[in-house]
Amino acid sequence: MAVSASSPRTEAIRQTLTLNPLILLLLLVVLLPSASPNSESDALHALRRSLSDPDNVLESWDPTLVNPCTWFHITCNQDNRVTRLELYKNNIQGTIPAELGNLKSLISLDLYNNNISGVIPPSLGKLKSLVFLRLNDNQLSGQIPRELLGISSLKVVDITNNNLCGTIPTTGPFEHIPLNNFENNPRLEGPELQGLAAYDTNCY
């Protein structure tokens, strides 16, 4: 006796089972970037690679996890965008990578009271939501990037006790930053007198 052809219902079930993995894959491709943008994960991974962490405060920063919002010292909003990076008083050493400028929703960047060296990356000027920038009590050198003048939301800047050079900006958000927030930078001149001194004074 000939085997009867499969019923339409059986065929529909077979096709559904065949297509489901493809549908799930498409959903993952569409949804994952919006939940945790690759650029933000990459930025934090770059920071982790640039730092020495003798006290293991960054132990939870697992590079195999796509979503960094579960890491200690990181705060995210409801859209899983990083809004706060708080690594103060943790005895970390290293430099600030340019990739941090990709944390576009960052409100607070707190790296104070560590042993961080190198320059303040000009790319931080891309942080258009930044309100708090506290880098005091480190070993930072170089100029205060003029790219920071374009951050209209910036209210608090503290870079005391570093080795910065050049002049102190007096325009944009820096117009209302107290001068004592720049103290104890032996090579830093200020406040800046427009047209009378180069902003990279004492940097060479």
Side-chain angles (χ1 to χ4, degrees):
M1 183 175 65
V3 179
S4 61
S6 59
S7 68
R9 178 181 174 83
T10 302
E11 182 65 18
I13 293 173
R14 185 186 66 80
Q15 289 181 358
T16 300
L17 291 174
T18 302
L19 291 175
N20 269 345
L22 295 176
I23 293 172
L24 288 174
L25 181 60
L26 286 173
L27 286 174
L28 287 173
V29 170
V30 171
L31 294 178
L32 280 179
S34 62
S36 181
N38 288 335
S39 60
E40 295 205 336
S41 297
D42 292 345
L44 294 171
H45 289 156
L47 177 62
R48 179 66 187 91
R49 289 192 301 269
S50 73
L51 296 177
S52 172
D53 177 28
D55 297 334
N56 293 321
V57 298
L58 302 177
E59 189 174 4
S60 68
W61 288 34
D62 185 350
T64 65
L65 297 178
V66 176
N67 187 351
C69 296
T70 60
W71 300 352
F72 291 155
H73 312 289
I74 298 291
T75 302
C76 295
N77 61 18
Q78 61 184 6
D79 298 319
N80 283 339
R81 300 278 182 172
V82 177
T83 57
R84 294 181 179 273
L85 174 53
E86 299 171 308
L87 284 174
Y88 51 88
K89 297 182 180 180
N90 282 307
N91 195 33
I92 54 177
Q93 305 167 20
T95 59
I96 303 173
E99 288 88 343
L100 277 195
N102 292 327
L103 300 177
K104 299 299 179 60
S105 298
L106 197 66
I107 294 172
S108 184
L109 177 57
D110 292 304
L111 301 176
Y112 59 89
N113 282 102
N114 286 297
N115 293 299
I116 297 174
S117 57
V119 302
I120 301 173
S123 61
L124 296 188
K126 297 190 296 182
L127 302 176
K128 300 304 183 183
S129 298
L130 195 66
V131 178
F132 304 97
L133 177 62
R134 289 176 283 225
L135 305 175
N136 50 290
D137 294 279
N138 280 292
Q139 301 174 30
L140 294 168
S141 57
Q143 307 154 19
I144 300 172
R146 268 31 187 189
E147 287 80 0
L148 298 179
L149 300 180
I151 307 178
S152 59
S153 58
L154 196 58
K155 302 299 182 186
V156 175
V157 175
D158 191 345
I159 52 177
T160 55
N161 299 307
N162 280 288
N163 191 32
L164 297 170
C165 61
T167 54
I168 299 172
T170 57
T171 59
F174 285 81
E175 183 178 356
H176 303 292
I177 304 298
L179 288 178
N180 58 9
N181 286 21
F182 303 93
E183 289 181 347
N184 297 324
N185 286 278
R187 298 191 297 150
L188 192 62
E189 301 281 346
E192 184 173 79
L193 300 175
Q194 294 295 319
L196 298 180
Y199 75 90
D200 57 357
T201 299
N202 293 335
C203 289
Y204 302 103

